[in-house]
Amino acid sequence: MKEDYIKIIFELGGINKKISNKEIALALDVAAGSVTEMISKLVEEKLVVHEPYAGISLTKKGQRYATELVRKHRLWETFLVDKLNYNMADVHPEAEVLEHQTSDRLASSLDNFLGYPKHCPHGGVIPDENGHFDDISHEMLAMAKDNEEVEIERFLDNHELLVYLTDLGLNVEDDIKVIRHDPFEGPIQIVRKTDQKAMAVSYKAAHNIFVRKTNG
């Protein structure tokens, strides 16, 4: 769906930088050809700009559309987890349906009811009604260096990813140390600092997890 591409470009930092087709394909688990086809359509609708060999970014129109979609989706995710006791991994499909049925008035009422949350359960920002949101990191776990210490900031909004990370036991705000990157697109070996739990995060998942540096 067009909306999935707009949201993922926003998630990957497409307001402030250029995003590659490969990053989008990895995040959405789609073929490169599908990305190329959809990006052409989004360019025609003036939602994105595509500069060959540079990448893809959201236009002002695309930014407005993205923040509206993300805001409504994540308000519902927060409601489902905080008020209806859903598991974090289970909210994405429900929120995907609800976001398209949500008027601006309902979104404002829901925001007020929830106490104006800044982040959803998986760490993603929730834009306010004017489209403003907190600064976020766009550094992927996959890009962190061996022996680097980082904090898990957020996970991409993907149902399979959230199920995988729940089973793995990795959480938002975990402080971890990157041990090594296994070769040939193998997993990233990490250790959580609080309990010294070792984990192997898949290559694909590591491109859908965003981190902040904690050791300078």
Side-chain angles (χ1 to χ4, degrees):
M1 288 176 60
K2 173 178 73 176
E3 292 85 356
D4 293 332
Y5 281 81
I6 291 293
K7 286 189 290 186
I8 215 66
I9 295 169
F10 171 88
E11 278 282 273
L12 293 170
I15 287 179
N16 301 311
K17 66 173 187 174
K18 304 294 183 184
I19 308 303
S20 70
N21 282 34
K22 181 180 179 181
E23 289 176 298
I24 296 171
L26 270 172
L28 292 177
D29 194 21
V30 295
S34 299
V35 175
T36 301
E37 183 179 343
M38 179 57 75
I39 294 304
S40 296
K41 293 178 182 178
L42 296 179
V43 169
E44 289 177 9
E45 294 184 35
K46 297 183 172 16
L47 292 170
V48 304
V49 175
H50 184 204
E51 297 180 24
Y53 308 107
I56 299 145
S57 59
L58 293 167
T59 62
K60 292 294 184 184
K61 178 182 176 182
Q63 290 177 30
R64 289 194 298 272
Y65 189 30
T67 53
E68 179 184 345
L69 286 170
V70 168
R71 170 176 163 77
K72 291 174 179 178
H73 184 94
R74 291 182 175 165
L75 284 171
W76 281 117
E77 287 187 325
T78 304
F79 174 80
L80 291 168
V81 170
D82 290 356
K83 304 302 180 182
L84 298 186
N85 299 316
Y86 271 62
N87 292 323
M88 180 182 71
D90 297 332
V91 297
H92 178 72
E94 304 279 14
E96 195 85 345
V97 174
L98 290 165
E99 74 182 58
H100 297 295
Q101 309 301 323
T102 303
S103 66
D104 291 343
R105 179 182 177 184
L106 177 55
S108 294
S109 297
L110 185 59
D111 197 12
N112 176 64
F113 175 72
L114 293 169
Y116 305 102
K118 299 290 187 183
H119 299 89
C120 72
H122 53 82
V125 292
I126 302 178
D128 67 19
E129 61 185 352
N130 297 312
H132 301 138
F133 54 89
D134 290 346
D135 184 39
I136 51 178
S137 169
H138 295 111
E139 180 173 347
M140 300 171 186
L141 174 60
M143 301 297 108
K145 298 179 177 63
D146 290 357
N147 297 314
E148 190 169 26
E149 295 179 5
V150 295
E151 178 187 13
I152 303 295
E153 184 193 65
R154 60 191 174 96
F155 306 137
L156 278 193
D157 205 351
N158 176 287
H159 175 64
E160 290 183 5
L161 173 71
L162 296 176
V163 170
Y164 169 79
L165 294 173
T166 298
D167 291 343
L168 192 64
L170 189 62
N171 304 301
V172 171
E173 298 185 351
D174 277 353
D175 287 319
I176 64 167
K177 181 175 182 178
V178 177
I179 305 303
R180 69 176 185 277
H181 295 63
D182 285 350
F184 299 106
E185 298 188 353
I188 315 298
Q189 305 293 336
I190 66 171
V191 170
R192 182 163 52 209
K193 293 168 64 179
T194 52
D195 59 2
Q196 295 302 302
K197 179 180 179 181
M199 305 181 204
V201 181
S202 75
Y203 176 83
K204 178 182 170 184
H207 282 80
N208 294 336
I209 298 169
F210 291 86
V211 299
R212 287 189 185 276
K213 294 179 182 179
T214 58
N215 64 343

